[in-house]
Amino acid sequence: MDLHMREFDGTTFGMSVEASSPAFRRMKKNAFTGEIMRCRGLFKQTVRCVRAADVAAVMGDAGWLVRELQCMETVRWGNGGTEYYIIYEKEGSENDLS
């Protein structure tokens, strides 16, 4: 299975992952619909989301790009066209999606 990610600056990144891995199945199962702020907070948009910790687990050794740099904005997998926004949770804030 291929993951395709887009950084906040528009740069794209792709990698192959094992579709049957527990981490990939967990990421897909934990996907949710949430609201994000677009255009520097001018309006809210309802989108599909995944948590950064789930994405980093799927990425294995490359997970630092999400876990430490927090440079990836979206991820999609396979041939599906759905982009999932990566939600970076602030420390101590489990439900804050902004």
Side-chain angles (χ1 to χ4, degrees):
M1 175 77 55
D2 289 330
L3 287 184
H4 304 277
M5 288 162 273
R6 182 171 39 91
E7 295 183 22
F8 287 100
D9 67 2
T11 303
T12 59
F13 174 83
M15 66 180 293
S16 292
V17 298
E18 183 60 46
S20 63
S21 74
F24 185 75
R25 288 193 312 260
R26 183 176 46 251
M27 180 181 69
K28 284 177 48 176
K29 183 183 98 179
N30 290 342
F32 61 97
T33 301
E35 284 188 341
I36 61 168
M37 297 300 290
R38 300 287 304 203
C39 296
R40 299 190 175 140
L42 292 178
F43 65 94
K44 288 184 181 181
Q45 182 178 11
T46 302
V47 295
R48 294 294 292 160
C49 303
V50 290
R51 299 202 186 287
D54 290 336
V55 176
V58 170
M59 292 175 69
D61 290 341
W64 66 274
L65 292 167
V66 172
R67 189 173 41 257
E68 296 170 25
L69 289 184
Q70 298 185 359
C71 62
M72 299 297 173
E73 181 177 18
T74 65
V75 62
R76 62 182 168 84
W77 49 82
N79 294 327
T82 302
E83 276 195 309
Y84 294 80
Y85 280 79
I86 300 171
I87 302 302
Y88 295 95
E89 296 174 338
K90 298 173 186 160
E91 284 188 37
S93 176
E94 189 105 355
N95 296 320
D96 186 9
L97 299 180
S98 56

